[in-house]
Amino acid sequence: MREASRPPSPASPAAAARLAGRLAIGRDGYESGAAIAKVATGIGGFDQVAMGGLPARRTTVVAGPAGAAKTLFAAQFLAEGVRSGQPGVFVTLEEPAADLRTNLATLGWDVESWEASGDWRFVDGSPLTPRLAGERPAYNVETLAAQIGAAVDRVGAQRLVLDSINAVLSFEADVVLARQLLRGLVLQLRQMGLTVVLTIETRDDPGGSLTHYGVEEFVADNVVLLRNIHEGTFRRRTVEVLKMRGAMHHKGDVPFTIVPGEGLRVLPVTVPALPPHTVERVPSGIAGLDELTHGGLFSGSTTLVSGPTGAGKTMMAIQFAAGGLDHDETVLFMAFEESHEQVRVSGAALGSDFVKHEEQGNLHVVSLYPEVASLDDHLVEVFELVQRVRPTRLVLDGLSALERLGSEHSYHGFLLGITAFVRSVGLVTLITASPPAGAGGSSTSNHITGLVDTIIVLRHHESGATIRRGVHIQRMRGSSHENAVRELTIDERGVTIGGSLHVSADHPAVPE
């Protein structure tokens, strides 16, 4: 006999909170008693991945190869504590404190003033250089613990960083003794009631054992992995919360980058809390397109224009921008294949004075060659430009040119980030992209079609000795639209969508 379905048991705090509607997905449940307290790291986006930050008064191991930004992660965690009224101690076991002060000052952190105010203190725990070649002196952990204790007492520290613990472990050849050494140190730190970050350098990918000492097995309540992977012409940094004992967190690798003047910024893909679907339409500025879409594009929607080279994608994007300028809107035009000057020339060819609009401040043209930055850096650039310019219309022209910068997985994550962001800020956005090779011009990139609201496909058609441009609406969410293929013309009057384009079987679409 099949057992009747029963509601989830409210025995656990998390279940009770969910049943009461108090625990939302993406939160760690601490408010309802379902998880331990957490402290903010100050690393943009990371606390979202960790669902609140790092567990308070526990030890977190941050592991990764050279160049993965472990020291910066730890320092940013400590700096956030200072800003939050939680003094910290930075125990440097490798890099001199003077070098750290200089490096951190480039991020706008005045560590010297924090030291003067008693909010930040360095402890130099660097091992002494052996006097004789081949000599392996013992490292006195008791002395280090005493130094740390004195510094913690002096500033009233609540946060502690040890960077990097490899320097201590390397002094003990015996793995068992090294473990005991580190276990004793961590136990003493726990007794101080501190939130601790230990950095560990790994030889390669930190997905396996962090070190041959296996420290993560017994000292780490939490493990954060930083990776620095070579993709295409760039390295791509990712962060993964491997474990977080007693607390929930998001799984998997999440990209991050280093932003000048800020530090680490993690780029999680989020599903924005969108307002109810709007029926408000905005004029596209492209003659005939509003008729084709039965009233224009929806406010806050994202439109993809796909087609082969020469089909009119960029000119349609420029006409869309000009339409916004004609209604006194602020437009941000980001070009990934055209130069700034070429965008201006194309605007003039369609009868719009882009130079004048730029001088008036309601048009902002940014030309970015794809290879000048990684995918994640380009994503951050879009975020910051939108926040600075605050446009009502956004154009991303030639977005498919960025596909060559990384792996297919990375590019898909980049597109998810872009589309989620523009939705969250409610921008009317137009994206142009070339279809994938072999698509015959009849379909758009598989990466992005499910992420946009409207898909406009441009085609070349052969009519006798003439090549004619065609356009049709492949999809438009929330609205009916014309299904016919219309003719697209580009002249000094602008971009115009005309009447139906009849193509016989004897004159098929021109292959790409």
Side-chain angles (χ1 to χ4, degrees):
M1 181 177 178
R2 187 176 180 179
E3 185 179 359
S5 61
R6 293 177 297 178
S9 170
S12 71
R18 286 193 179 94
L19 290 173
R22 297 196 311 272
L23 184 59
I25 295 175
R27 301 174 66 184
D28 70 350
Y30 171 61
E31 294 86 348
S32 61
I36 62 174
K38 293 183 178 180
V39 297
T41 63
I43 299 172
F46 177 79
D47 291 349
Q48 180 180 339
V49 174
M51 293 187 180
L54 298 180
R57 296 177 298 281
R58 293 198 174 190
T59 302
T60 298
V61 166
V62 177
K70 301 180 297 298
T71 299
L72 184 54
F73 183 106
Q76 203 162 340
F77 159 78
L78 213 62
E80 176 63 17
V82 172
R83 289 189 288 263
S84 304
Q86 300 175 359
V89 172
F90 194 112
V91 182
T92 174
L93 301 172
E94 293 180 327
E95 191 171 0
D99 291 349
L100 286 169
R101 289 188 191 96
T102 301
N103 296 337
L104 298 178
T106 64
L107 297 172
W109 304 344
D110 191 352
V111 176
E112 288 188 1
S113 69
W114 292 344
E115 290 181 276
S117 63
D119 293 313
W120 180 299
R121 191 169 184 85
F122 281 110
V123 171
D124 187 353
S126 304
L128 297 175
T129 304
R131 295 180 179 178
L132 300 176
E135 182 183 0
R136 187 190 290 267
Y139 189 91
N140 195 326
V141 173
E142 294 299 326
T143 300
L144 177 62
Q147 288 180 284
I148 294 173
V152 167
D153 291 340
R154 181 178 294 271
V155 300
Q158 298 181 44
R159 300 188 183 202
L160 176 72
V161 165
L162 279 85
D163 179 52
S164 149
I165 204 66
N166 298 69
V168 175
L169 296 176
S170 64
F171 274 75
E172 184 53 68
D174 188 282
V175 173
V176 175
L177 291 179
R179 290 179 178 177
Q180 293 175 351
L181 191 77
L182 190 58
R183 181 186 290 112
L185 176 60
V186 171
L187 286 175
Q188 293 184 65
L189 298 179
R190 282 178 173 171
Q191 291 172 358
M192 299 180 191
L194 303 170
T195 304
V196 181
V197 168
L198 302 176
T199 70
I200 292 179
E201 183 169 317
T202 60
R203 293 180 180 178
D204 299 303
D205 180 76
S209 180
L210 304 188
T211 68
H212 71 281
Y213 299 101
V215 295
E216 70 278 11
E217 297 176 4
F218 63 90
V219 303
D221 300 302
N222 323 298
V223 176
V224 175
L225 306 181
L226 302 182
R227 294 184 170 92
N228 192 15
I229 305 167
H230 193 272
E231 286 189 357
T233 56
F234 290 92
R235 284 193 172 273
R236 185 171 191 251
R237 291 185 170 98
T238 64
V239 59
E240 177 189 4
V241 180
L242 182 64
K243 76 172 184 178
M244 192 168 281
R245 194 171 291 154
M248 292 183 281
H249 59 87
H250 290 293
K251 310 297 191 297
D253 283 327
V254 182
F256 75 90
T257 188
I258 299 175
V259 180
E262 176 183 336
L264 272 70
R265 186 187 298 182
V266 180
L267 305 169
V269 175
T270 60
V271 179
L274 297 176
H277 176 69
T278 177
V279 295
E280 180 186 354
R281 303 269 188 158
V282 295
S284 65
I286 302 169
L289 181 59
D290 294 349
E291 177 187 347
L292 211 59
T293 56
H294 292 177
L297 304 175
F298 284 115
S299 176
S301 65
T302 302
T303 298
L304 170 69
V305 178
S306 176
T309 301
K313 300 186 298 296
T314 296
M315 299 306 281
M316 183 174 279
I318 288 174
Q319 188 69 67
F320 170 79
L325 296 172
D326 290 342
H327 289 83
D328 297 324
E329 296 183 38
T330 300
V331 178
L332 173 59
F333 193 110
M334 300 188 69
F336 296 100
E337 293 182 307
E338 305 285 345
S339 67
H340 191 152
E341 184 59 30
Q342 185 57 53
V343 172
R344 287 178 168 181
V345 170
S346 298
L350 299 181
S352 183
D353 190 346
F354 275 18
V355 175
K356 181 189 72 174
H357 286 298
E358 284 188 277
E359 292 173 349
Q360 293 174 344
N362 56 339
L363 172 64
H364 302 264
V365 177
V366 178
S367 180
L368 294 171
Y369 189 65
E371 275 73 15
V372 302
S374 68
L375 282 171
D376 298 326
D377 290 332
H378 279 296
L379 185 60
V380 170
E381 183 74 12
V382 174
F383 292 171
E384 294 190 340
L385 282 170
V386 168
Q387 290 166 355
R388 184 162 64 247
V389 173
R390 298 192 178 279
T392 52
R393 290 194 184 203
L394 172 66
V395 173
L396 300 173
D397 182 45
L399 199 64
S400 52
L402 301 180
E403 188 169 1
R404 61 180 182 258
L405 297 184
S407 67
E408 183 176 345
H409 174 75
S410 299
Y411 182 62
H412 184 66
F414 166 79
L415 294 176
L416 280 171
I418 285 282
T419 52
F421 173 71
V422 297
R423 283 176 181 273
S424 68
V425 295
L427 275 176
V428 181
T429 304
L430 187 140
I431 299 171
T432 72
S434 299
S442 61
S443 65
T444 50
S445 173
N446 293 332
H447 291 295
I448 197 171
T449 53
L451 307 177
V452 299
D453 302 294
T454 303
I455 300 174
I456 300 174
V457 178
L458 307 184
R459 299 281 300 273
H460 284 141
H461 295 273
E462 182 180 347
S463 178
T466 304
I467 301 296
R468 302 167 70 182
R469 295 183 176 95
V471 56
H472 75 274
I473 307 297
Q474 188 177 82
R475 186 189 71 204
M476 187 172 186
R477 286 195 179 116
S479 173
S480 59
H481 58 83
E482 295 294 323
N483 294 316
V485 177
R486 300 287 192 94
E487 183 165 15
L488 181 73
T489 59
I490 302 173
D491 54 30
E492 66 280 358
R493 295 171 297 177
V495 177
T496 304
I497 297 176
S500 296
L501 183 63
H502 300 286
V503 182
S504 67
D506 297 330
H507 300 288
V510 176
E512 297 177 41

